[in-house]
Amino acid sequence: MEQAIKRAQKIKAILTDVDGILTDGKVNFFVRGDGKIDEFKSFNTQDGIAVLLCHSAGIVCGIITGRRHPTTVARAKNLGFKYMYQGFLTKIGPLNDILEKENISAEEVAYIGDDITDIPLLNEVGFAATVPNALDCVKDRAHFITHRTGGDGAFREIIDFILTAQGKLAPILEQVEASAWTAGKRPEMEVITSQEGIA
């Protein structure tokens, strides 16, 4: 745990997968009136507050996901994620792109994933995190495994851990108790879409 805290102290950007992290990993399909198949996702509001906490702490948040869906884009924009890379099964390119844009090193990035397409990023970043129901080969590469599962506040647990390690969570909570907390300005979200992944 001490090693995970040391790694968390260096983090300037937090990137995450969606399905299995921000959601429970289930995809709910339904048929629209025009006969086309669509899907819906459920997100946890505690995870949403986590992004706002990152705004206050000056930490950038981004998504790198293999699926493409407007629901994910809408949720990410609503919360204030700065980066949204969708349709990327090969995720190292988006990571390198963000490193260049933010002028940071991989050591200063946390990534959260639960499946084999996340492994290259988990191997590369300074703080690799996952959930308890992730694949064993993913958990073997993680510096931190949450108690909560994906879609049930796992993302929030990781944010709280990082902000606590950096000494930033307690001052924010003091502001909240004094009714003086403002989440800060939400960045303009950049959406980059690849056709490599799953629609």
Side-chain angles (χ1 to χ4, degrees), residues 108-154:
E108 296 170 307
V109 173
Y111 182 74
I112 311 159
D114 69 324
D115 211 334
I116 57 171
T117 55
D118 300 307
I119 288 175
L121 269 65
L122 296 170
N123 288 338
E124 189 72 17
V125 300
F127 186 87
T130 192
V131 292
N133 55 324
L135 298 177
D136 288 340
C137 60
V138 172
K139 290 192 279 189
D140 289 344
R141 290 159 171 82
H143 305 117
F144 184 84
I145 300 173
T146 62
H147 295 288
R148 292 185 169 191
T149 57
D152 190 34

Side-chain angles (χ1 to χ4, degrees), residues 82-173:
K82 186 172 182 180
Y83 297 104
M84 173 72 203
Y85 288 79
Q86 62 172 346
F88 285 87
L89 293 175
T90 306
K91 300 184 176 186
I92 202 73
L95 171 63
N96 290 334
D97 197 26
I98 292 168
L99 294 180
E100 183 176 348
K101 289 172 179 174
E102 294 295 322
N103 193 28
I104 57 177
S105 68
E107 187 181 29
E108 296 170 307
V109 173
Y111 182 74
I112 311 159
D114 69 324
D115 211 334
I116 57 171
T117 55
D118 300 307
I119 288 175
L121 269 65
L122 296 170
N123 288 338
E124 189 72 17
V125 300
F127 186 87
T130 192
V131 292
N133 55 324
L135 298 177
D136 288 340
C137 60
V138 172
K139 290 192 279 189
D140 289 344
R141 290 159 171 82
H143 305 117
F144 184 84
I145 300 173
T146 62
H147 295 288
R148 292 185 169 191
T149 57
D152 190 34
F155 182 77
R156 175 63 173 275
E157 184 179 336
I158 293 163
I159 301 303
D160 284 355
F161 181 86
I162 291 171
L163 295 184
T164 299
Q166 295 183 359
K168 295 177 178 178
L169 186 59
I172 292 173
L173 293 179

Side-chain angles (χ1 to χ4, degrees), residues 7 10 21 27 32 91 101 104 107 161 193:
R7 288 176 174 274
K10 301 177 183 179
I21 304 299
V27 180
R32 301 187 323 205
K91 300 184 176 186
K101 289 172 179 174
I104 57 177
E107 187 181 29
F161 181 86
T193 302

